[in-house]
Amino acid sequence: VQLQASGGGLVQAGGSLRLSCAASGRTFSIYAMGWFRQAPGKEREFVASISWSGGSTYYADSVKGRFTISRDNAKNTVYLQMNSLKPEDTAVYYCAAASGSSWPEYNYWGQGTQVTVSS
């Protein structure tokens, strides 16, 4: 499975961005997809995930109510709608996929996309 993330950029605090992650290859093996982020000097952290079949979603407490993860199975794409962005949301965002055999571990990772929120 290959993952291609896009949609990052520079936005003012309070603004919105939508990240996209397109999956290709053995997409039939995907069990769930997620978004993670890593800020400078910090460890990578979980942001949100969605199951590929049932659409169950999970969010980090820090983004609940502001971020929404969704999927389009026909396009093999997962989205992360980010609203009410804060400077502390600044990070490189990574999309990831977990196959059924690897879940709950994510075994496929895309390249990161930079999100910068200015105050």
Side-chain angles (χ1 to χ4, degrees):
V1 175
Q2 294 78 46
L3 303 175
Q4 181 70 42
S6 61
L10 173 64
V11 64
Q12 289 188 333
S16 299
L17 280 175
R18 189 177 81 154
L19 305 183
S20 300
C21 180
S24 60
R26 299 171 60 89
T27 57
F28 60 86
S29 69
I30 295 175
Y31 175 79
M33 291 187 69
W35 288 96
F36 294 75
R37 67 186 182 186
Q38 187 167 20
K42 295 186 177 181
E43 294 188 354
R44 186 173 61 194
E45 63 175 0
F46 168 79
V47 175
S49 67
I50 186 167
S51 65
W52 205 237
S53 59
S56 297
T57 57
Y58 301 92
Y59 297 92
D61 288 342
S62 59
V63 306
K64 280 182 182 177
R66 300 188 298 122
F67 291 11
T68 302
I69 189 170
S70 62
R71 76 201 194 289
D72 184 332
N73 293 59
K75 296 182 178 180
N76 291 325
T77 299
V78 64
Y79 304 97
L80 185 68
Q81 178 66 44
M82 305 185 294
N83 299 328
S84 302
L85 282 162
K86 304 175 181 179
E88 50 263 45
D89 293 318
T90 295
V92 177
Y93 284 70
Y94 298 90
C95 66
S99 61
S101 60
S102 73
W103 177 259
E105 298 295 327
Y106 288 82
N107 52 336
Y108 301 104
W109 293 85
Q111 89 292 358
T113 185
Q114 177 71 47
V115 171
T116 302
V117 184
S118 62
S119 57

PDB file of all heavy atoms in Angstrom, residues 57-96:
ATOM      1  N   THR A  57     -14.757   6.078  14.134  1.00  0.00           N
ATOM      2  CA  THR A  57     -13.713   7.093  14.251  1.00  0.00           C
ATOM      3  C   THR A  57     -13.231   7.247  15.697  1.00  0.00           C
ATOM      4  O   THR A  57     -13.991   7.015  16.642  1.00  0.00           O
ATOM      5  CB  THR A  57     -14.209   8.452  13.746  1.00  0.00           C
ATOM      6  OG1 THR A  57     -15.390   8.823  14.497  1.00  0.00           O
ATOM      7  CG2 THR A  57     -14.564   8.399  12.269  1.00  0.00           C
ATOM      8  N   TYR A  58     -11.987   7.652  15.817  1.00  0.00           N
ATOM      9  CA  TYR A  58     -11.384   7.907  17.125  1.00  0.00           C
ATOM     10  C   TYR A  58     -10.522   9.154  16.999  1.00  0.00           C
ATOM     11  O   TYR A  58      -9.922   9.403  15.964  1.00  0.00           O
ATOM     12  CB  TYR A  58     -10.527   6.712  17.565  1.00  0.00           C
ATOM     13  CG  TYR A  58     -11.300   5.428  17.673  1.00  0.00           C
ATOM     14  CD1 TYR A  58     -11.383   4.559  16.588  1.00  0.00           C
ATOM     15  CD2 TYR A  58     -11.971   5.090  18.837  1.00  0.00           C
ATOM     16  CE1 TYR A  58     -12.120   3.393  16.663  1.00  0.00           C
ATOM     17  CE2 TYR A  58     -12.700   3.926  18.924  1.00  0.00           C
ATOM     18  CZ  TYR A  58     -12.779   3.077  17.832  1.00  0.00           C
ATOM     19  OH  TYR A  58     -13.505   1.925  17.915  1.00  0.00           O
ATOM     20  N   TYR A  59     -10.504   9.933  18.073  1.00  0.00           N
ATOM     21  CA  TYR A  59      -9.772  11.191  18.055  1.00  0.00           C
ATOM     22  C   TYR A  59      -8.938  11.360  19.325  1.00  0.00           C
ATOM     23  O   TYR A  59      -9.322  10.920  20.409  1.00  0.00           O
ATOM     24  CB  TYR A  59     -10.733  12.377  17.961  1.00  0.00           C
ATOM     25  CG  TYR A  59     -11.546  12.423  16.696  1.00  0.00           C
ATOM     26  CD1 TYR A  59     -12.795  11.836  16.626  1.00  0.00           C
ATOM     27  CD2 TYR A  59     -11.045  13.054  15.561  1.00  0.00           C
ATOM     28  CE1 TYR A  59     -13.542  11.866  15.453  1.00  0.00           C
ATOM     29  CE2 TYR A  59     -11.780  13.106  14.387  1.00  0.00           C
ATOM     30  CZ  TYR A  59     -13.024  12.508  14.342  1.00  0.00           C
ATOM     31  OH  TYR A  59     -13.754  12.553  13.186  1.00  0.00           O
ATOM     32  N   ALA A  60      -7.830  12.039  19.177  1.00  0.00           N
ATOM     33  CA  ALA A  60      -7.088  12.472  20.353  1.00  0.00           C
ATOM     34  C   ALA A  60      -7.900  13.552  21.059  1.00  0.00           C
ATOM     35  O   ALA A  60      -8.613  14.331  20.400  1.00  0.00           O
ATOM     36  CB  ALA A  60      -5.728  13.022  19.936  1.00  0.00           C
ATOM     37  N   ASP A  61      -7.798  13.604  22.360  1.00  0.00           N
ATOM     38  CA  ASP A  61      -8.562  14.591  23.120  1.00  0.00           C
ATOM     39  C   ASP A  61      -8.259  16.019  22.663  1.00  0.00           C
ATOM     40  O   ASP A  61      -9.131  16.888  22.678  1.00  0.00           O
ATOM     41  CB  ASP A  61      -8.263  14.456  24.617  1.00  0.00           C
ATOM     42  CG  ASP A  61      -8.869  13.209  25.217  1.00  0.00           C
ATOM     43  OD1 ASP A  61      -9.786  12.621  24.598  1.00  0.00           O
ATOM     44  OD2 ASP A  61      -8.427  12.807  26.314  1.00  0.00           O
ATOM     45  N   SER A  62      -7.029  16.244  22.250  1.00  0.00           N
ATOM     46  CA  SER A  62      -6.606  17.591  21.881  1.00  0.00           C
ATOM     47  C   SER A  62      -7.282  18.111  20.610  1.00  0.00           C
ATOM     48  O   SER A  62      -7.264  19.321  20.359  1.00  0.00           O
ATOM     49  CB  SER A  62      -5.089  17.627  21.697  1.00  0.00           C
ATOM     50  OG  SER A  62      -4.675  16.715  20.699  1.00  0.00           O
ATOM     51  N   VAL A  63      -7.876  17.223  19.818  1.00  0.00           N
ATOM     52  CA  VAL A  63      -8.491  17.666  18.561  1.00  0.00           C
ATOM     53  C   VAL A  63      -9.985  17.399  18.507  1.00  0.00           C
ATOM     54  O   VAL A  63     -10.649  17.795  17.541  1.00  0.00           O
ATOM     55  CB  VAL A  63      -7.798  17.018  17.339  1.00  0.00           C
ATOM     56  CG1 VAL A  63      -6.294  17.269  17.375  1.00  0.00           C
ATOM     57  CG2 VAL A  63      -8.112  15.533  17.243  1.00  0.00           C
ATOM     58  N   LYS A  64     -10.527  16.735  19.509  1.00  0.00           N
ATOM     59  CA  LYS A  64     -11.962  16.434  19.511  1.00  0.00           C
ATOM     60  C   LYS A  64     -12.779  17.717  19.398  1.00  0.00           C
ATOM     61  O   LYS A  64     -12.503  18.703  20.072  1.00  0.00           O
ATOM     62  CB  LYS A  64     -12.339  15.698  20.797  1.00  0.00           C
ATOM     63  CG  LYS A  64     -12.024  14.222  20.781  1.00  0.00           C
ATOM     64  CD  LYS A  64     -12.469  13.561  22.082  1.00  0.00           C
ATOM     65  CE  LYS A  64     -12.113  12.092  22.083  1.00  0.00           C
ATOM     66  NZ  LYS A  64     -12.475  11.431  23.372  1.00  0.00           N
ATOM     67  N   GLY A  65     -13.773  17.669  18.536  1.00  0.00           N
ATOM     68  CA  GLY A  65     -14.627  18.826  18.346  1.00  0.00           C
ATOM     69  C   GLY A  65     -14.098  19.825  17.332  1.00  0.00           C
ATOM     70  O   GLY A  65     -14.818  20.735  16.920  1.00  0.00           O
ATOM     71  N   ARG A  66     -12.842  19.671  16.934  1.00  0.00           N
ATOM     72  CA  ARG A  66     -12.247  20.587  15.950  1.00  0.00           C
ATOM     73  C   ARG A  66     -11.870  19.881  14.654  1.00  0.00           C
ATOM     74  O   ARG A  66     -11.971  20.461  13.574  1.00  0.00           O
ATOM     75  CB  ARG A  66     -10.998  21.253  16.539  1.00  0.00           C
ATOM     76  CG  ARG A  66     -11.259  22.062  17.789  1.00  0.00           C
ATOM     77  CD  ARG A  66     -10.021  22.865  18.207  1.00  0.00           C
ATOM     78  NE  ARG A  66      -8.883  21.986  18.525  1.00  0.00           N
ATOM     79  CZ  ARG A  66      -7.698  22.043  17.918  1.00  0.00           C
ATOM     80  NH1 ARG A  66      -7.483  22.933  16.953  1.00  0.00           N
ATOM     81  NH2 ARG A  66      -6.710  21.230  18.286  1.00  0.00           N
ATOM     82  N   PHE A  67     -11.426  18.649  14.756  1.00  0.00           N
ATOM     83  CA  PHE A  67     -10.995  17.884  13.585  1.00  0.00           C
ATOM     84  C   PHE A  67     -12.020  16.797  13.277  1.00  0.00           C
ATOM     85  O   PHE A  67     -12.638  16.231  14.185  1.00  0.00           O
ATOM     86  CB  PHE A  67      -9.654  17.216  13.842  1.00  0.00           C
ATOM     87  CG  PHE A  67      -8.463  18.142  13.945  1.00  0.00           C
ATOM     88  CD1 PHE A  67      -8.620  19.526  14.033  1.00  0.00           C
ATOM     89  CD2 PHE A  67      -7.186  17.632  13.952  1.00  0.00           C
ATOM     90  CE1 PHE A  67      -7.530  20.372  14.122  1.00  0.00           C
ATOM     91  CE2 PHE A  67      -6.080  18.461  14.043  1.00  0.00           C
ATOM     92  CZ  PHE A  67      -6.260  19.825  14.135  1.00  0.00           C
ATOM     93  N   THR A  68     -12.178  16.502  11.996  1.00  0.00           N
ATOM     94  CA  THR A  68     -13.067  15.432  11.562  1.00  0.00           C
ATOM     95  C   THR A  68     -12.350  14.572  10.535  1.00  0.00           C
ATOM     96  O   THR A  68     -11.860  15.096   9.525  1.00  0.00           O
ATOM     97  CB  THR A  68     -14.359  15.989  10.954  1.00  0.00           C
ATOM     98  OG1 THR A  68     -15.025  16.829  11.910  1.00  0.00           O
ATOM     99  CG2 THR A  68     -15.287  14.846  10.557  1.00  0.00           C
ATOM    100  N   ILE A  69     -12.304  13.274  10.795  1.00  0.00           N
ATOM    101  CA  ILE A  69     -11.718  12.343   9.838  1.00  0.00           C
ATOM    102  C   ILE A  69     -12.851  11.675   9.062  1.00  0.00           C
ATOM    103  O   ILE A  69     -13.903  11.358   9.627  1.00  0.00           O
ATOM    104  CB  ILE A  69     -10.824  11.302  10.541  1.00  0.00           C
ATOM    105  CG1 ILE A  69     -10.037  10.485   9.515  1.00  0.00           C
ATOM    106  CG2 ILE A  69     -11.619  10.415  11.482  1.00  0.00           C
ATOM    107  CD1 ILE A  69      -8.953   9.596  10.144  1.00  0.00           C
ATOM    108  N   SER A  70     -12.659  11.502   7.777  1.00  0.00           N
ATOM    109  CA  SER A  70     -13.667  10.857   6.943  1.00  0.00           C
ATOM    110  C   SER A  70     -12.956  10.089   5.843  1.00  0.00           C
ATOM    111  O   SER A  70     -11.747  10.233   5.642  1.00  0.00           O
ATOM    112  CB  SER A  70     -14.624  11.890   6.352  1.00  0.00           C
ATOM    113  OG  SER A  70     -13.925  12.805   5.516  1.00  0.00           O
ATOM    114  N   ARG A  71     -13.738   9.274   5.140  1.00  0.00           N
ATOM    115  CA  ARG A  71     -13.135   8.468   4.079  1.00  0.00           C
ATOM    116  C   ARG A  71     -14.057   8.424   2.875  1.00  0.00           C
ATOM    117  O   ARG A  71     -15.267   8.587   2.993  1.00  0.00           O
ATOM    118  CB  ARG A  71     -12.875   7.054   4.586  1.00  0.00           C
ATOM    119  CG  ARG A  71     -14.112   6.194   4.668  1.00  0.00           C
ATOM    120  CD  ARG A  71     -13.966   5.031   5.590  1.00  0.00           C
ATOM    121  NE  ARG A  71     -15.014   4.041   5.437  1.00  0.00           N
ATOM    122  CZ  ARG A  71     -16.288   4.184   5.792  1.00  0.00           C
ATOM    123  NH1 ARG A  71     -16.702   5.333   6.280  1.00  0.00           N
ATOM    124  NH2 ARG A  71     -17.157   3.209   5.642  1.00  0.00           N
ATOM    125  N   ASP A  72     -13.468   8.190   1.742  1.00  0.00           N
ATOM    126  CA  ASP A  72     -14.194   7.953   0.501  1.00  0.00           C
ATOM    127  C   ASP A  72     -13.628   6.653  -0.057  1.00  0.00           C
ATOM    128  O   ASP A  72     -12.566   6.650  -0.683  1.00  0.00           O
ATOM    129  CB  ASP A  72     -13.990   9.115  -0.466  1.00  0.00           C
ATOM    130  CG  ASP A  72     -14.807   8.965  -1.737  1.00  0.00           C
ATOM    131  OD1 ASP A  72     -15.108   7.818  -2.137  1.00  0.00           O
ATOM    132  OD2 ASP A  72     -15.137   9.999  -2.339  1.00  0.00           O
ATOM    133  N   ASN A  73     -14.334   5.563   0.198  1.00  0.00           N
ATOM    134  CA  ASN A  73     -13.811   4.250  -0.206  1.00  0.00           C
ATOM    135  C   ASN A  73     -13.674   4.133  -1.724  1.00  0.00           C
ATOM    136  O   ASN A  73     -12.763   3.472  -2.207  1.00  0.00           O
ATOM    137  CB  ASN A  73     -14.710   3.143   0.326  1.00  0.00           C
ATOM    138  CG  ASN A  73     -14.666   3.043   1.836  1.00  0.00           C
ATOM    139  OD1 ASN A  73     -14.979   3.988   2.543  1.00  0.00           O
ATOM    140  ND2 ASN A  73     -14.263   1.899   2.344  1.00  0.00           N
ATOM    141  N   ALA A  74     -14.553   4.783  -2.456  1.00  0.00           N
ATOM    142  CA  ALA A  74     -14.491   4.706  -3.919  1.00  0.00           C
ATOM    143  C   ALA A  74     -13.202   5.332  -4.444  1.00  0.00           C
ATOM    144  O   ALA A  74     -12.663   4.909  -5.463  1.00  0.00           O
ATOM    145  CB  ALA A  74     -15.700   5.387  -4.533  1.00  0.00           C
ATOM    146  N   LYS A  75     -12.721   6.338  -3.735  1.00  0.00           N
ATOM    147  CA  LYS A  75     -11.496   7.023  -4.144  1.00  0.00           C
ATOM    148  C   LYS A  75     -10.288   6.550  -3.349  1.00  0.00           C
ATOM    149  O   LYS A  75      -9.180   7.051  -3.548  1.00  0.00           O
ATOM    150  CB  LYS A  75     -11.648   8.535  -3.972  1.00  0.00           C
ATOM    151  CG  LYS A  75     -12.705   9.159  -4.867  1.00  0.00           C
ATOM    152  CD  LYS A  75     -12.757  10.678  -4.664  1.00  0.00           C
ATOM    153  CE  LYS A  75     -13.788  11.308  -5.585  1.00  0.00           C
ATOM    154  NZ  LYS A  75     -13.865  12.775  -5.402  1.00  0.00           N
ATOM    155  N   ASN A  76     -10.497   5.609  -2.426  1.00  0.00           N
ATOM    156  CA  ASN A  76      -9.409   5.136  -1.558  1.00  0.00           C
ATOM    157  C   ASN A  76      -8.690   6.296  -0.889  1.00  0.00           C
ATOM    158  O   ASN A  76      -7.456   6.354  -0.838  1.00  0.00           O
ATOM    159  CB  ASN A  76      -8.413   4.293  -2.355  1.00  0.00           C
ATOM    160  CG  ASN A  76      -8.999   2.966  -2.787  1.00  0.00           C
ATOM    161  OD1 ASN A  76      -9.784   2.358  -2.073  1.00  0.00           O
ATOM    162  ND2 ASN A  76      -8.624   2.522  -3.985  1.00  0.00           N
ATOM    163  N   THR A  77      -9.477   7.224  -0.396  1.00  0.00           N
ATOM    164  CA  THR A  77      -8.910   8.451   0.156  1.00  0.00           C
ATOM    165  C   THR A  77      -9.507   8.720   1.540  1.00  0.00           C
ATOM    166  O   THR A  77     -10.701   8.521   1.749  1.00  0.00           O
ATOM    167  CB  THR A  77      -9.184   9.649  -0.766  1.00  0.00           C
ATOM    168  OG1 THR A  77      -8.565   9.403  -2.030  1.00  0.00           O
ATOM    169  CG2 THR A  77      -8.615  10.937  -0.181  1.00  0.00           C
ATOM    170  N   VAL A  78      -8.659   9.173   2.432  1.00  0.00           N
ATOM    171  CA  VAL A  78      -9.105   9.595   3.752  1.00  0.00           C
ATOM    172  C   VAL A  78      -8.789  11.072   3.902  1.00  0.00           C
ATOM    173  O   VAL A  78      -7.792  11.559   3.349  1.00  0.00           O
ATOM    174  CB  VAL A  78      -8.440   8.756   4.874  1.00  0.00           C
ATOM    175  CG1 VAL A  78      -6.939   8.976   4.909  1.00  0.00           C
ATOM    176  CG2 VAL A  78      -9.045   9.065   6.222  1.00  0.00           C
ATOM    177  N   TYR A  79      -9.655  11.774   4.599  1.00  0.00           N
ATOM    178  CA  TYR A  79      -9.516  13.218   4.767  1.00  0.00           C
ATOM    179  C   TYR A  79      -9.416  13.566   6.250  1.00  0.00           C
ATOM    180  O   TYR A  79      -9.930  12.852   7.110  1.00  0.00           O
ATOM    181  CB  TYR A  79     -10.719  13.936   4.167  1.00  0.00           C
ATOM    182  CG  TYR A  79     -10.969  13.610   2.719  1.00  0.00           C
ATOM    183  CD1 TYR A  79     -11.903  12.630   2.371  1.00  0.00           C
ATOM    184  CD2 TYR A  79     -10.280  14.257   1.705  1.00  0.00           C
ATOM    185  CE1 TYR A  79     -12.138  12.306   1.044  1.00  0.00           C
ATOM    186  CE2 TYR A  79     -10.510  13.946   0.378  1.00  0.00           C
ATOM    187  CZ  TYR A  79     -11.440  12.971   0.059  1.00  0.00           C
ATOM    188  OH  TYR A  79     -11.660  12.655  -1.257  1.00  0.00           O
ATOM    189  N   LEU A  80      -8.786  14.679   6.515  1.00  0.00           N
ATOM    190  CA  LEU A  80      -8.776  15.231   7.867  1.00  0.00           C
ATOM    191  C   LEU A  80      -9.146  16.702   7.752  1.00  0.00           C
ATOM    192  O   LEU A  80      -8.343  17.515   7.276  1.00  0.00           O
ATOM    193  CB  LEU A  80      -7.414  15.083   8.543  1.00  0.00           C
ATOM    194  CG  LEU A  80      -7.377  15.534  10.010  1.00  0.00           C
ATOM    195  CD1 LEU A  80      -8.216  14.587  10.867  1.00  0.00           C
ATOM    196  CD2 LEU A  80      -5.940  15.592  10.529  1.00  0.00           C
ATOM    197  N   GLN A  81     -10.381  17.015   8.124  1.00  0.00           N
ATOM    198  CA  GLN A  81     -10.837  18.403   8.130  1.00  0.00           C
ATOM    199  C   GLN A  81     -10.446  19.012   9.465  1.00  0.00           C
ATOM    200  O   GLN A  81     -10.847  18.517  10.528  1.00  0.00           O
ATOM    201  CB  GLN A  81     -12.353  18.480   7.945  1.00  0.00           C
ATOM    202  CG  GLN A  81     -12.918  19.889   7.990  1.00  0.00           C
ATOM    203  CD  GLN A  81     -12.457  20.735   6.826  1.00  0.00           C
ATOM    204  OE1 GLN A  81     -12.431  20.294   5.685  1.00  0.00           O
ATOM    205  NE2 GLN A  81     -12.093  21.983   7.112  1.00  0.00           N
ATOM    206  N   MET A  82      -9.668  20.069   9.419  1.00  0.00           N
ATOM    207  CA  MET A  82      -9.162  20.700  10.633  1.00  0.00           C
ATOM    208  C   MET A  82      -9.721  22.107  10.735  1.00  0.00           C
ATOM    209  O   MET A  82      -9.440  22.952   9.873  1.00  0.00           O
ATOM    210  CB  MET A  82      -7.632  20.728  10.607  1.00  0.00           C
ATOM    211  CG  MET A  82      -6.991  19.360  10.398  1.00  0.00           C
ATOM    212  SD  MET A  82      -5.192  19.373  10.515  1.00  0.00           S
ATOM    213  CE  MET A  82      -4.792  20.361   9.080  1.00  0.00           C
ATOM    214  N   ASN A  83     -10.529  22.348  11.738  1.00  0.00           N
ATOM    215  CA  ASN A  83     -11.133  23.651  11.975  1.00  0.00           C
ATOM    216  C   ASN A  83     -10.620  24.237  13.277  1.00  0.00           C
ATOM    217  O   ASN A  83     -10.062  23.531  14.113  1.00  0.00           O
ATOM    218  CB  ASN A  83     -12.658  23.525  12.020  1.00  0.00           C
ATOM    219  CG  ASN A  83     -13.253  23.013  10.736  1.00  0.00           C
ATOM    220  OD1 ASN A  83     -12.735  23.266   9.638  1.00  0.00           O
ATOM    221  ND2 ASN A  83     -14.350  22.292  10.844  1.00  0.00           N
ATOM    222  N   SER A  84     -10.832  25.517  13.445  1.00  0.00           N
ATOM    223  CA  SER A  84     -10.412  26.210  14.676  1.00  0.00           C
ATOM    224  C   SER A  84      -8.965  25.888  15.016  1.00  0.00           C
ATOM    225  O   SER A  84      -8.638  25.550  16.170  1.00  0.00           O
ATOM    226  CB  SER A  84     -11.343  25.828  15.834  1.00  0.00           C
ATOM    227  OG  SER A  84     -12.688  26.155  15.533  1.00  0.00           O
ATOM    228  N   LEU A  85      -8.119  25.994  14.034  1.00  0.00           N
ATOM    229  CA  LEU A  85      -6.720  25.617  14.237  1.00  0.00           C
ATOM    230  C   LEU A  85      -6.033  26.531  15.231  1.00  0.00           C
ATOM    231  O   LEU A  85      -6.322  27.735  15.316  1.00  0.00           O
ATOM    232  CB  LEU A  85      -5.983  25.637  12.888  1.00  0.00           C
ATOM    233  CG  LEU A  85      -6.264  24.409  12.007  1.00  0.00           C
ATOM    234  CD1 LEU A  85      -5.894  24.676  10.569  1.00  0.00           C
ATOM    235  CD2 LEU A  85      -5.514  23.191  12.538  1.00  0.00           C
ATOM    236  N   LYS A  86      -5.124  25.929  15.984  1.00  0.00           N
ATOM    237  CA  LYS A  86      -4.370  26.634  17.011  1.00  0.00           C
ATOM    238  C   LYS A  86      -2.874  26.537  16.672  1.00  0.00           C
ATOM    239  O   LYS A  86      -2.456  25.595  16.001  1.00  0.00           O
ATOM    240  CB  LYS A  86      -4.611  25.995  18.380  1.00  0.00           C
ATOM    241  CG  LYS A  86      -6.071  25.910  18.788  1.00  0.00           C
ATOM    242  CD  LYS A  86      -6.212  25.149  20.091  1.00  0.00           C
ATOM    243  CE  LYS A  86      -7.669  25.023  20.505  1.00  0.00           C
ATOM    244  NZ  LYS A  86      -7.813  24.267  21.776  1.00  0.00           N
ATOM    245  N   PRO A  87      -2.082  27.469  17.159  1.00  0.00           N
ATOM    246  CA  PRO A  87      -0.634  27.376  16.912  1.00  0.00           C
ATOM    247  C   PRO A  87      -0.045  26.038  17.367  1.00  0.00           C
ATOM    248  O   PRO A  87       0.898  25.534  16.734  1.00  0.00           O
ATOM    249  CB  PRO A  87      -0.077  28.547  17.723  1.00  0.00           C
ATOM    250  CG  PRO A  87      -1.181  29.548  17.729  1.00  0.00           C
ATOM    251  CD  PRO A  87      -2.441  28.728  17.822  1.00  0.00           C
ATOM    252  N   GLU A  88      -0.596  25.465  18.408  1.00  0.00           N
ATOM    253  CA  GLU A  88      -0.074  24.179  18.887  1.00  0.00           C
ATOM    254  C   GLU A  88      -0.412  23.004  17.973  1.00  0.00           C
ATOM    255  O   GLU A  88       0.059  21.890  18.195  1.00  0.00           O
ATOM    256  CB  GLU A  88      -0.564  23.879  20.311  1.00  0.00           C
ATOM    257  CG  GLU A  88      -2.058  24.021  20.509  1.00  0.00           C
ATOM    258  CD  GLU A  88      -2.434  25.373  21.083  1.00  0.00           C
ATOM    259  OE1 GLU A  88      -1.903  26.406  20.603  1.00  0.00           O
ATOM    260  OE2 GLU A  88      -3.297  25.404  22.002  1.00  0.00           O
ATOM    261  N   ASP A  89      -1.209  23.249  16.943  1.00  0.00           N
ATOM    262  CA  ASP A  89      -1.476  22.222  15.937  1.00  0.00           C
ATOM    263  C   ASP A  89      -0.368  22.185  14.883  1.00  0.00           C
ATOM    264  O   ASP A  89      -0.371  21.295  14.024  1.00  0.00           O
ATOM    265  CB  ASP A  89      -2.808  22.478  15.237  1.00  0.00           C
ATOM    266  CG  ASP A  89      -3.999  22.320  16.171  1.00  0.00           C
ATOM    267  OD1 ASP A  89      -4.000  21.372  16.971  1.00  0.00           O
ATOM    268  OD2 ASP A  89      -4.921  23.152  16.078  1.00  0.00           O
ATOM    269  N   THR A  90       0.552  23.113  14.947  1.00  0.00           N
ATOM    270  CA  THR A  90       1.656  23.137  13.996  1.00  0.00           C
ATOM    271  C   THR A  90       2.492  21.876  14.114  1.00  0.00           C
ATOM    272  O   THR A  90       2.948  21.517  15.205  1.00  0.00           O
ATOM    273  CB  THR A  90       2.542  24.375  14.233  1.00  0.00           C
ATOM    274  OG1 THR A  90       1.788  25.554  13.962  1.00  0.00           O
ATOM    275  CG2 THR A  90       3.778  24.336  13.353  1.00  0.00           C
ATOM    276  N   ALA A  91       2.658  21.181  13.000  1.00  0.00           N
ATOM    277  CA  ALA A  91       3.380  19.914  12.994  1.00  0.00           C
ATOM    278  C   ALA A  91       3.449  19.393  11.566  1.00  0.00           C
ATOM    279  O   ALA A  91       2.784  19.907  10.671  1.00  0.00           O
ATOM    280  CB  ALA A  91       2.689  18.887  13.886  1.00  0.00           C
ATOM    281  N   VAL A  92       4.251  18.358  11.409  1.00  0.00           N
ATOM    282  CA  VAL A  92       4.192  17.576  10.175  1.00  0.00           C
ATOM    283  C   VAL A  92       3.148  16.492  10.399  1.00  0.00           C
ATOM    284  O   VAL A  92       3.218  15.756  11.389  1.00  0.00           O
ATOM    285  CB  VAL A  92       5.557  16.961   9.836  1.00  0.00           C
ATOM    286  CG1 VAL A  92       5.447  16.099   8.579  1.00  0.00           C
ATOM    287  CG2 VAL A  92       6.599  18.058   9.637  1.00  0.00           C
ATOM    288  N   TYR A  93       2.187  16.427   9.515  1.00  0.00           N
ATOM    289  CA  TYR A  93       1.104  15.461   9.626  1.00  0.00           C
ATOM    290  C   TYR A  93       1.373  14.286   8.688  1.00  0.00           C
ATOM    291  O   TYR A  93       1.688  14.480   7.505  1.00  0.00           O
ATOM    292  CB  TYR A  93      -0.237  16.117   9.296  1.00  0.00           C
ATOM    293  CG  TYR A  93      -0.748  16.978  10.421  1.00  0.00           C
ATOM    294  CD1 TYR A  93      -0.107  18.179  10.738  1.00  0.00           C
ATOM    295  CD2 TYR A  93      -1.853  16.599  11.188  1.00  0.00           C
ATOM    296  CE1 TYR A  93      -0.566  18.977  11.787  1.00  0.00           C
ATOM    297  CE2 TYR A  93      -2.311  17.380  12.231  1.00  0.00           C
ATOM    298  CZ  TYR A  93      -1.660  18.566  12.529  1.00  0.00           C
ATOM    299  OH  TYR A  93      -2.115  19.349  13.574  1.00  0.00           O
ATOM    300  N   TYR A  94       1.208  13.087   9.224  1.00  0.00           N
ATOM    301  CA  TYR A  94       1.437  11.863   8.467  1.00  0.00           C
ATOM    302  C   TYR A  94       0.159  11.037   8.415  1.00  0.00           C
ATOM    303  O   TYR A  94      -0.534  10.907   9.420  1.00  0.00           O
ATOM    304  CB  TYR A  94       2.519  11.013   9.128  1.00  0.00           C
ATOM    305  CG  TYR A  94       3.876  11.656   9.206  1.00  0.00           C
ATOM    306  CD1 TYR A  94       4.239  12.427  10.316  1.00  0.00           C
ATOM    307  CD2 TYR A  94       4.805  11.494   8.188  1.00  0.00           C
ATOM    308  CE1 TYR A  94       5.487  13.022  10.393  1.00  0.00           C
ATOM    309  CE2 TYR A  94       6.054  12.085   8.256  1.00  0.00           C
ATOM    310  CZ  TYR A  94       6.380  12.849   9.364  1.00  0.00           C
ATOM    311  OH  TYR A  94       7.619  13.443   9.434  1.00  0.00           O
ATOM    312  N   CYS A  95      -0.137  10.481   7.243  1.00  0.00           N
ATOM    313  CA  CYS A  95      -1.214   9.513   7.192  1.00  0.00           C
ATOM    314  C   CYS A  95      -0.613   8.121   7.241  1.00  0.00           C
ATOM    315  O   CYS A  95       0.530   7.907   6.841  1.00  0.00           O
ATOM    316  CB  CYS A  95      -2.088   9.697   5.957  1.00  0.00           C
ATOM    317  SG  CYS A  95      -1.288   9.366   4.388  1.00  0.00           S
ATOM    318  N   ALA A  96      -1.393   7.207   7.758  1.00  0.00           N
ATOM    319  CA  ALA A  96      -0.932   5.837   7.927  1.00  0.00           C
ATOM    320  C   ALA A  96      -2.086   4.882   7.709  1.00  0.00           C
ATOM    321  O   ALA A  96      -3.251   5.258   7.860  1.00  0.00           O
ATOM    322  CB  ALA A  96      -0.346   5.650   9.329  1.00  0.00           C
TER     323      ALA A  96
END
